[in-house]
Amino acid sequence: MNVLGRSRRWTAGLDAEIVVKTPFVSGRIDLALYVARLECWADALDRLDAGEDVAWMEMSSGPSIFIQLTGERDCPEVVVEDESGSMVTVRVPLVPPDNWIADHRQCLRQVMDHWVPMLSG
């Protein structure tokens, strides 16, 4: 996920994108972020760290992300689903690097520290 900056259409939100890039498939989809979604991502990281699969932004408008620690190929995989838009689902098996959850927490903390004060004001 890439945070692109403050939304021009919505003062309490951020423009972002989900990017999937593999040798076989690549794509991107726009995403609106706001404080509650960022807090839900922090919660998802805690659950992943506890060994649970997670769904982020499930049942909301726009794309959903599912992370399965043991996917269909007996390795972790990320599923990006755009049911409400393009109707496309992409499933990407991966081998996450060591400390990937800590790295995501650090990135989230940087986004929260930098952007949230601008959205709250």
Side-chain angles (χ1 to χ4, degrees):
M1 179 176 58
N2 295 322
V3 176
L4 305 173
R6 286 184 75 170
S7 175
R8 287 182 234 154
R9 300 175 307 248
W10 183 40
T11 58
L14 297 171
D15 287 333
E17 62 184 356
I18 297 170
V19 179
V20 175
K21 186 171 181 161
T22 74
F24 179 71
V25 65
S26 62
R28 60 165 300 285
I29 186 165
D30 292 330
L31 173 66
L33 289 177
Y34 45 90
V35 174
R37 276 195 175 163
L38 294 169
E39 290 169 344
C40 286
W41 179 238
D43 206 38
L45 290 171
D46 289 343
R47 291 194 325 270
L48 283 167
D49 202 22
E52 298 176 36
D53 294 345
V54 298
W56 184 48
M57 299 183 300
E58 184 181 28
M59 305 291 287
S60 67
S61 61
S64 299
I65 296 176
F66 304 88
I67 300 174
Q68 299 168 340
L69 296 174
T70 303
E72 291 180 0
R73 292 170 181 85
D74 292 326
C75 67
E77 61 187 21
V78 175
V79 178
V80 179
E81 188 174 276
D82 182 32
E83 189 173 297
S84 65
S86 66
M87 302 295 292
V88 171
T89 298
V90 178
R91 179 179 305 273
V92 181
L94 54 91
V95 178
D98 292 339
N99 298 321
W100 69 279
I101 294 173
D103 291 343
H104 277 262
R105 281 187 175 128
Q106 180 181 0
C107 289
L108 176 60
R109 197 169 21 259
Q110 290 171 345
V111 168
M112 296 286 280
D113 290 348
H114 181 77
W115 292 108
V116 169
M118 291 181 216
L119 301 178
S120 301

